[in-house]
Amino acid sequence: MDINASILDDLRAMAIFAAVVRQGSFAAAARSLGLTRAVVSHHIRALETKLGVPLAQRSTRSFSLTPAGQAFRVHCERLLDEAVDGIRSMELIRAEPRGEVRLTCSHHFGTKRILPALVAFRRRYPAVRLHVAMSDSNVDIVQHGVELAVRAGPLADSSLVARRLLLEPTLLCAAPAYLRQRGAPASVDELAAHRWIVYPPSQKSATVLAHGAKVEIPVQGDIVTDSAASRLAFVLAGDGIARLPAYDAASLIASGELVRVLPEVETAPLEIFLVHSKRIGPSARLLRDYLLDDAASEDLAAA
């Protein structure tokens, strides 16, 4: 879509609508924006005319959103937040960023993928203090005052914001010693009879894609761990099969320390997210954007 005067008018009206929603009335929004109430009303009416639906029910004493207004407010507030974030980001670039960011991530993934980016971030922004808590448990970021968390898997808590950091390929792997002892599985059906390194402890099955079809494999084994580093150590020791991220497996397969089991079978990638509350400070936003850009640059380099 070409950017024209009409679109610019719509963007302005959307920002005004977001201000009305947050302030709770046309008059309060007008005061916060430095506009007259008549100007605010004009923009909202123009927006309703363009959309063809009423966004709000108002009288001299009350104001409430229609169902359409409730749905539309999400887009308008996001637009306003992104604009504010963009301006603040430019302010950070203009002046040397300062402050402190508290971040949490798992020990193993953090060491492999996050710490190198944090070191580079510190070189660029030496006045930003970093408090890095490495833990394999998902801490309550609000309760513990953490601004950024690196998490695997989909986000269950809708009160938080999740930005996907990367998709990490995974491979089924075992040590040569294990395969000599137990024999290499020749088909997906044989996987269920093998010993697995169970990670995380809640794991009951593994999903694989074989010949275009998803197959659920029961997972059982003598070793259960809540640590990704422990999982890798036990696989290398020949104690079982595991689904490993490529950042662990690739170099070990190349060196012969691990063998890829059933290379024709695909396993789901790890989805890694950056998680934070809906409102975070400027230094945390700066680090968030840096990590996202760094991950995107790695993906492009690998492509």
Side-chain angles (χ1 to χ4, degrees):
M1 180 185 293
D2 293 335
I3 297 177
N4 52 41
S6 175
I7 293 296
L8 295 178
D9 287 342
D10 293 342
L11 293 174
R12 177 179 171 83
M14 289 173 70
I16 290 173
F17 179 66
V20 170
V21 170
R22 288 184 172 175
Q23 295 294 328
S25 72
F26 282 49
R31 287 193 297 271
S32 70
L33 296 171
L35 302 172
T36 66
R37 190 181 186 284
V39 169
V40 170
S41 296
H42 166 75
H43 281 286
I44 302 304
R45 283 196 303 270
L47 199 54
E48 290 175 324
T49 300
K50 174 115 185 219
L51 297 173
V53 291
L55 299 174
Q57 296 171 338
R58 59 267 198 189
S59 67
T60 55
R61 294 188 177 182
S62 66
F63 166 82
S64 62
L65 294 179
T66 64
Q70 288 285 4
F72 193 56
R73 70 177 291 183
V74 175
H75 304 285
C76 296
E77 290 186 313
R78 185 183 303 146
L79 171 72
L80 191 58
D81 288 340
E82 289 293 336
V84 170
D85 284 351
I87 291 171
R88 287 178 178 169
S89 295
M90 291 303 101
E91 290 172 348
L92 284 171
I93 291 173
R94 187 182 63 213
E96 183 182 24
R98 296 184 177 276
E100 179 177 285
V101 184
R102 298 175 67 86
L103 176 143
T104 182
C105 58
S106 68
H107 286 278
H108 193 64
F109 178 79
T111 301
K112 293 277 187 175
R113 299 297 297 266
I114 300 300
L115 283 183
L118 294 181
V119 169
F121 176 84
R122 277 280 302 163
R123 296 293 177 269
R124 183 178 296 185
Y125 304 108
V128 176
R129 300 184 302 278
L130 296 180
H131 184 109
V132 182
M134 291 217 168
S135 172
D136 288 333
S137 61
N138 285 343
V139 301
D140 185 320
I141 66 174
V142 176
Q143 181 179 349
H144 288 81
V146 174
E147 291 183 280
L148 293 175
V150 181
R151 299 261 175 91
L155 183 66
D157 188 348
S158 61
S159 68
L160 301 175
V161 176
R163 302 281 293 274
R164 193 166 77 182
L165 187 63
L166 54 87
L167 278 177
E168 183 69 31
T170 63
L171 310 169
L172 288 179
C173 297
Y178 172 84
L179 297 176
R180 283 194 299 269
Q181 180 187 15
R182 303 279 298 192
S187 68
V188 170
D189 294 337
E190 294 183 12
L191 285 173
H194 278 263
R195 293 205 310 261
W196 288 70
I197 310 301
V198 180
Y199 170 87
S202 60
Q203 184 185 26
K204 303 299 181 187
S205 64
T207 303
V208 301
L209 186 65
H211 307 295
K214 285 186 178 180
V215 182
E216 199 83 6
I217 307 298
V219 168
Q220 53 80 35
D222 299 327
I223 298 173
V224 179
T225 179
D226 65 353
S227 163
S230 297
R231 172 188 57 184
L232 178 60
F234 283 120
V235 175
L236 284 168
D239 287 300
I241 293 174
R243 168 177 163 253
L244 297 178
Y247 61 75
D248 275 338
S251 61
L252 295 170
I253 292 172
S255 68
E257 294 172 82
L258 288 179
V259 175
R260 184 174 180 185
V261 175
L262 297 174
E264 71 279 9
V265 169
E266 296 181 26
T267 52
L270 287 176
E271 286 190 282
I272 308 297
F273 293 88
L274 268 179
V275 179
H276 57 81
S277 59
K278 291 183 177 177
R279 303 300 296 173
I280 57 175
S283 296
R285 282 196 302 274
L286 183 68
L287 177 57
R288 176 200 65 189
D289 294 344
Y290 182 90
L291 292 175
L292 291 169
D293 289 344
D294 181 73
S297 298
E298 285 195 17
D299 285 345
L300 288 174

